Amino acid sequence: MFPRSFTKRLLATATAASLTASIFGCSVNPVTGKKELSLMSQSQEVALGEQQYPKAQQTQGGEYLVDPALQSYVSRVGQKLARVSDQPNLPYEFVVLNNSVPNAWALPGGKIAINRGLLVLLEDEAELAAVLGHEIVHAAARHSATAMSQQQILGAGIAILGATTENTAYGDLISLGSQFGGSAYIAKYGRDNELESDEYGMKYMAAAGYDPQGAVRLQQKFVALSEGKQASGLDALFASHPPSQSRVDANIQHAKNLGGGVTNRNEYQRAIAQLKKDADAYKSYDAAVAAAQKKDYDRALMLTRQAQKQQPKEAAFFALEGDLLAQKKQYQSALQSYETAVQKNPTLFSNWLMRGMLNAQLNNYTAAERDLQRSTSYLDTPHAHYYLGQVYEKQGNTKNALSQYQIAAQDSGDIGTKAQARMQALGNQG
């Protein structure tokens, strides 16, 4: 599985120079020993993963912060598996994302994420190890680099902002965070890559002391979900990681050769206890997002406030409230909601971006500039630069406005077009 967080533009920016210098040819798969096409060295992969990991997290909801202990738990399990992998020296990192979509992914260099939406579908630590082990193989076997080299990367990342922010007038503020947080653009690995990740991931499980049957149960569960009516919401998972009975059968055969191990069901259930306790809150939130997408803002607001009562620590619930109030043109109340969202999660770019836009709408230009600049420290978006241009323009600072519009104009989407229009208008004024 792979996040839908690479745009062609991002990939080109991150790797153009290094790919130009690369020697086109084959490299050895560190896991299987086979020769495979790869256009980048492992050091380039590691650098790319380091660069894109925080960006990918930002575009998919950011870190899950309500229960920090869960982050530590997942990281411990992941590192235990990484130590027995064929590439133990990669700079592995593991993060739980605040995203309801059941999914997990790996970036080059061992940067791995799992959504809280997938964790609640698992029963024990062995099943978690099966997911993480599979992703570790994708990183260790350099599947991401192979996929890139075969030009199998599909778009999105920052570009998804263009799809969710169609209006640029302050009076038409809409959700950035809540509407794209549940999405994930993915690159599809080939069937051989998936089978390879299953097989070697199970070997890592056994080496780390886990019951390989966890991988069998995991695939059986996914097959059952894909065949039933429960597949709704699992599109991202199944698109990149299609389940099949043949994979179940292959895992059964692999398990016969690996012996037993622990499942640690009680430990796992304790680790996800807060997630399970908050299931109704996130269900209310997801229903609110669905209602908002249908423009049923009153129902969405009711559901959002219900979610807040169920779990008052979750920043996303207050961010969505801010989005909905902005839609109803209640900008001061929306700003108060985003004040709360920023307090509860100051590490997510969209909280700062939306608060900056609201401050600008209310003519709080100093605060707007601060917030918009802060948003770029987490994720540098053309939207932040466009709205900074708006702030400077309203203050009569044409030079700074043009500078910001020039940056935003590099975007190939709607926001770039609007920035170009403002540049032309300011130029004509001069």
Side-chain angles (χ1 to χ4, degrees):
M1 288 167 280
F2 200 89
R4 298 188 284 187
S5 60
F6 286 124
T7 63
K8 291 180 180 178
R9 176 172 55 79
L10 278 174
L11 188 57
T13 300
T15 62
S18 59
L19 287 180
T20 301
S22 295
I23 300 175
F24 285 58
C26 293
S27 65
V28 175
N29 183 318
V31 174
T32 66
K34 298 176 183 177
K35 289 186 176 181
E36 296 175 348
L37 174 68
S38 180
L39 305 186
M40 64 176 72
S41 68
Q42 189 160 80
S43 63
Q44 291 166 344
E45 284 183 61
V46 170
L48 182 60
E50 292 277 3
Q51 181 192 52
Q52 297 299 334
Y53 196 45
K55 296 178 182 179
Q57 293 178 49
Q58 287 287 325
T59 58
Q60 297 182 56
E63 286 190 39
Y64 169 69
L65 299 179
V66 171
D67 182 13
L70 183 59
Q71 295 280 358
S72 299
Y73 170 78
V74 169
S75 182
R76 286 197 302 272
V77 174
Q79 293 295 346
K80 185 188 300 185
L81 292 159
R83 285 194 292 271
V84 297
S85 73
D86 291 285
Q87 289 253 67
N89 295 322
L90 285 178
Y92 291 99
E93 290 185 61
F94 301 86
V95 66
V96 178
L97 295 182
N98 192 24
N99 195 313
S100 295
V101 175
N103 203 8
W105 47 261
L107 290 186
K111 305 306 183 188
I112 292 166
I114 183 169
N115 292 353
R116 57 171 169 76
L118 180 53
L119 289 174
V120 295
L121 293 180
L122 308 180
E123 292 296 325
D124 56 44
E125 196 171 301
E127 291 184 12
L128 172 62
V131 173
L132 298 181
H134 181 98
E135 299 304 330
I136 287 170
V137 177
H138 279 318
R142 306 185 67 194
H143 290 163
S144 300
T146 301
M148 291 176 191
S149 300
Q150 295 172 343
Q151 297 183 343
Q152 292 177 344
I153 300 301
L154 302 180
I158 290 177
I160 198 167
L161 290 170
T164 57
T165 310
E166 298 173 354
N167 303 300
T168 55
Y170 293 134
D172 294 320
L173 292 171
I174 64 173
S175 164
L176 290 176
S178 59
Q179 289 190 13
F180 70 65
S183 300
Y185 280 70
I186 21 182
K188 296 180 181 179
Y189 292 117
R191 179 177 178 273
D192 289 346
N193 284 169
E194 288 298 283
L195 290 173
E196 190 173 286
S197 291
D198 285 347
E199 178 182 358
Y200 287 91
M202 291 178 71
K203 289 181 179 179
Y204 299 167
M205 288 175 67
Y210 291 110
D211 181 5
Q213 289 293 335
V216 176
R217 294 194 302 275
L218 182 69
Q219 285 303 314
Q220 289 173 330
K221 181 179 300 182
F222 288 163
V223 168
L225 288 171
S226 69
E227 292 175 346
K229 304 221 181 254
Q230 304 175 67
S232 177
L234 295 168
D235 295 348
L237 177 67
F238 293 158
S240 61
H241 196 170
S244 66
Q245 187 57 44
S246 63
R247 288 182 66 179
V248 173
D249 295 340
N251 283 3
I252 290 173
Q253 291 302 313
H254 297 322
K256 289 179 179 179
N257 301 320
L258 294 173
V262 300
T263 62
N264 289 348
R265 186 181 191 281
N266 290 339
E267 290 87 340
Y268 184 78
Q269 290 298 320
R270 282 197 295 271
I272 66 166
Q274 187 66 55
L275 278 182
K276 295 179 74 172
K277 182 179 179 181
D278 293 337
D280 287 342
Y282 288 112
K283 184 177 180 180
S284 297
Y285 171 75
D286 293 337
V289 172
Q293 291 171 342
K294 296 177 181 178
K295 302 189 184 303
D296 188 351
Y297 300 124
D298 289 336
R299 174 170 170 74
L301 196 56
M302 180 272 291
L303 289 166
T304 300
R305 287 171 173 165
Q306 180 175 302
Q308 291 173 359
K309 292 177 181 178
Q310 293 167 315
Q311 176 45 274
K313 293 181 180 180
E314 178 55 75
F317 301 163
F318 295 90
L320 180 55
E321 180 183 47
D323 298 334
L324 295 168
L325 291 171
Q327 280 284 6
K328 296 164 75 71
K329 302 188 185 303
Q330 298 176 24
Y331 299 122
Q332 188 61 53
S333 295
L335 179 61
Q336 292 173 1
S337 296
Y338 262 100
E339 295 281 2
T340 303
V342 167
Q343 289 171 10
K344 293 180 183 295
N345 185 358
T347 67
L348 191 63
F349 88 99
S350 54
N351 289 345
W352 293 101
L353 179 58
M354 286 299 294
R355 196 174 81 168
M357 291 165 65
L358 286 162
N359 270 315
Q361 167 67 26
L362 295 167
N363 300 326
N364 303 329
Y365 295 129
T366 299
E369 181 182 4
R370 173 203 64 205
D371 289 350
L372 292 169
Q373 291 283 12
R374 183 68 177 272
S375 78
T376 64
S377 69
Y378 293 104
L379 188 68
D380 194 8
T381 66
H383 291 76
H385 292 291
Y386 178 85
Y387 286 108
L388 279 166
Q390 293 270 284
V391 167
Y392 292 133
E393 186 177 348
K394 287 179 180 291
Q395 292 177 300
N397 189 335
T398 302
K399 180 180 179 181
N400 281 358
L402 280 170
S403 177
Q404 294 298 322
Y405 287 143
Q406 285 172 352
I407 298 172
Q410 296 175 26
D411 180 69
S412 59
D414 183 62
I415 202 72
T417 300
K418 293 180 184 298
Q420 291 171 19
R422 292 312 308 151
M423 290 171 61
Q424 183 175 356
L426 290 176
N428 290 337
Q429 290 177 17

